[in-house]
């Protein structure tokens, strides 16, 4: 049955997120110790790069750490020649992504001392090349488009941010408690949003071009949601930081281009888009989601976008499990 694996893996996300939180504490604490006092480069490809962006913000806001995220394929062109006193934090679902492995090799050859990886695959090449590996507990992911491995990477990222802050003698019991609530928020969001998501899929399935806008913690969510629609539905969606959309890309907006906005104090942007009669869909407004602490909201807000990609793909006669031009690992 088309899309069966994608749907199952979307529904498995609350349990995968909770299991990652409960099972990686020791790995994460070791990583937090290694990070202390070092500049952090975070990297990954595709969905894993979006996880790296979420980690960058979480580490900056929760742990006050200096982090920059760079797409794995760009690492050799962007990193300095002297990488002493730094950490490379590499994300890869499979642990076999060629671009991520090349990034690790470049980092080592230029004096990089510590590689921390976040991967779903124990024993993978990335795991073997790393000083410390955080193994996410998503279980096997069979569909091409990443869903549960992405939110499990976010779980590890949030926990790492908290543990790193605690190494600085910060007491973050309230944040830990909020993080433990995320799986239930994800579960309830799945139940709440499915009916409306199917309706939105009907609205956009024949619109070839659209946009997803987010801000702050949910800028990466906009990027990831757009990627899911491109991967599974063959629709040209682009994600933007909400106000950056006003600096040029808004020129492409018309009544034929849906604009999906992850609501977060973005009424001014919404009003500007509506001037051009574009169909506006609000995640967290028009499409209901459970409200959670902003730092952790990417794990909840991505769910309706994943479901939207899944449903739109089916309505277009495609199979979201196996996009014809994509493979699970890019070598």
């Amino acid at each position: 049955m088309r899309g069966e694996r994608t749907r199952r893996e979307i529904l498995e996300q609350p349990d995968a997120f909770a299991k990652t939180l409960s099972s990686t504490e020791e790995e994460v604490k070791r990583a937090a110790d290694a990070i202390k006092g070092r500049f952090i480069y975070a990297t990954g490809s595709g969905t894993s790069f979006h996880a790296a962006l979420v980690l960058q913000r979480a580490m900056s806001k929760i742990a006050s750490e200096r982090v920059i995220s760079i797409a794995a394929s760009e690492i050799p062109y962007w990193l300095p020649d002297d990488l002493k006193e730094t950490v490379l934090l590499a994300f890869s679902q499979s642990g076999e992504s060629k671009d991520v492995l090349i990034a690790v090799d470049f980092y080592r050859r230029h004096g990089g001392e510590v590689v921390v990886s976040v991967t779903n695959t124990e024993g993978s090449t990335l795991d073997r090349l790393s000083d410390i590996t955080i193994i996410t507990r998503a279980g096997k992911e069979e569909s091409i488009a990443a869903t549960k491995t992405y939110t499990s990477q976010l779980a590890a990222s949030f926990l790492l941010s908290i543990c790193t802050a605690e190494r600085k003698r910060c007491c973050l019991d309230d944040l830990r408690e909020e993080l433990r609530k995320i799986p239930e928020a994800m579960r309830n969001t799945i139940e709440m949003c499915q009916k409306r998501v199917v309706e939105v899929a009907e609205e956009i399935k024949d619109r070839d071009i659209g946009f997803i806008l987010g801000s702050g913690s949910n800028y990466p969510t906009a990027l990831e949601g757009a990627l899911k629609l491109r991967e599974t539905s063959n629709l040209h969606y682009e994600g933007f930081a909400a106000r950056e959309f006003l600096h040029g890309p808004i020129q492409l907006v018309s009544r034929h281009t849906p604009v999906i906005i992850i609501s977060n104090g973005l009424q001014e942007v919404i009003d500007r888009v509506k001037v051009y009669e574009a169909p506006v869909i609000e995640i967290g407004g028009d499409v209901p989601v459970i409200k959670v602490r902003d730092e952790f909201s990417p794990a909840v807000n991505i769910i309706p976008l994943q479901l939207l990609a899944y449903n739109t793909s089916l309505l277009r006669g495609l199979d979201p499990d196996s996009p014809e031009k994509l493979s699970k690992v890019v070598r």
Side-chain angles (χ1 to χ4, degrees):
M1 181 176 172
R2 286 185 300 118
E4 181 178 0
R5 286 173 291 172
T6 299
R7 178 172 177 79
R8 182 183 70 245
E9 289 164 4
I10 291 172
L11 298 182
E12 287 173 351
Q13 288 181 111
D15 290 339
F17 193 99
K19 191 171 182 180
T20 297
L21 289 182
S22 64
S23 301
T24 60
E25 183 84 22
E26 292 308 311
E27 301 159 27
V28 167
K29 285 180 178 178
R30 288 180 59 215
D33 287 337
I35 283 170
K36 188 175 180 181
R38 298 175 183 270
F39 189 92
I40 304 162
Y41 294 101
T43 194
S45 295
T47 289
S48 290
F49 174 59
H50 299 155
L53 287 172
V54 172
L55 173 120
Q56 176 179 334
R57 186 182 186 278
M59 289 289 283
S60 298
K61 291 293 187 179
I62 295 172
S64 299
E65 289 288 341
R66 298 166 298 161
V67 185
I68 185 169
S69 296
I70 303 172
S73 60
E74 290 293 307
I75 284 283
Y77 308 111
W78 285 69
L79 262 58
D81 290 333
D82 183 359
L83 292 167
K84 294 177 183 177
E85 299 299 321
T86 67
V87 175
L88 181 67
L89 214 162
F91 289 81
S92 172
Q93 177 277 136
S94 66
E96 302 294 344
S97 169
K98 180 178 180 180
D99 288 319
V100 174
L101 298 179
I102 289 173
V104 170
D105 178 67
F106 178 90
Y107 176 78
R108 292 291 199 196
R109 287 189 291 105
H110 288 79
E113 298 168 335
V114 180
V115 175
V116 177
S117 62
V118 181
T119 179
N120 198 49
T121 311
E122 189 172 7
S124 63
T125 303
L126 180 60
D127 178 19
R128 296 195 304 271
L129 292 175
S130 299
D131 299 290
I132 300 164
T133 304
I134 301 169
I135 302 292
T136 56
R137 270 49 170 202
K140 186 177 181 180
E141 185 177 64
E142 296 179 330
S143 56
I144 298 296
T147 54
K148 65 176 181 174
T149 54
Y150 174 66
T151 47
S152 294
Q153 288 174 338
L154 300 194
S157 298
F158 297 145
L159 186 58
L160 179 59
S161 299
I162 290 172
C163 285
T164 302
E166 289 172 341
R167 290 295 186 270
K168 301 178 178 180
R169 302 183 185 278
C170 298
C171 180
L172 298 178
D173 290 345
D174 59 329
L175 267 184
R176 280 186 172 270
E177 181 59 30
E178 292 296 325
L179 186 56
R180 283 191 287 268
K181 294 177 182 177
I182 297 302
E184 187 63 20
M186 296 167 77
R187 196 171 289 112
N188 290 337
T189 294
I190 290 171
E191 294 176 2
M192 288 171 54
C193 75
Q194 288 196 65
K195 180 180 178 182
R196 179 58 185 138
V197 164
V198 171
E199 294 171 348
V200 174
E202 285 281 3
E203 295 169 15
I204 73 168
K205 65 182 176 65
D206 297 319
R207 308 289 186 99
D208 290 338
I209 298 173
F211 305 98
I212 303 181
L213 312 183
S215 184
S217 61
N218 284 290
Y219 166 47
T221 309
L223 299 178
E224 175 62 12
L227 177 61
K228 290 282 99 64
L229 279 163
R230 294 196 299 271
E231 288 177 327
T232 65
S233 304
N234 288 4
L235 294 176
H236 190 127
Y237 269 70
E238 291 290 339
F240 289 93
R243 285 200 57 83
E244 287 302 308
F245 187 68
L246 306 180
H247 293 266
I250 197 171
Q251 173 65 26
L252 300 175
V253 164
S254 74
R255 57 191 174 87
H256 303 296
T257 55
V259 180
I260 300 169
I261 298 180
I262 304 166
S263 296
N264 186 17
L266 298 176
Q267 192 58 49
E268 181 185 356
V269 176
I270 293 170
D271 291 343
R272 285 283 302 276
V273 170
K274 284 183 175 179
V275 167
Y276 305 105
E277 301 181 0
V280 174
I281 299 119
E282 294 182 57
I283 304 297
D286 181 38
V287 178
V289 298
I290 298 294
K291 299 293 185 184
V292 299
R293 191 157 183 152
D294 182 59
E295 288 91 338
F296 307 138
S297 62
V300 177
N301 288 334
I302 191 56
I303 287 174
L305 295 170
Q306 294 169 338
L307 287 167
L308 179 61
Y310 160 78
N311 283 285
T312 305
S313 178
L314 293 180
L315 288 172
R316 288 171 59 82
L318 303 170
D319 184 358
D321 290 347
S322 303
E324 61 183 18
K325 298 174 185 175
L326 303 179
S327 62
K328 193 66 179 169
V329 182
V330 177
R331 298 186 185 276

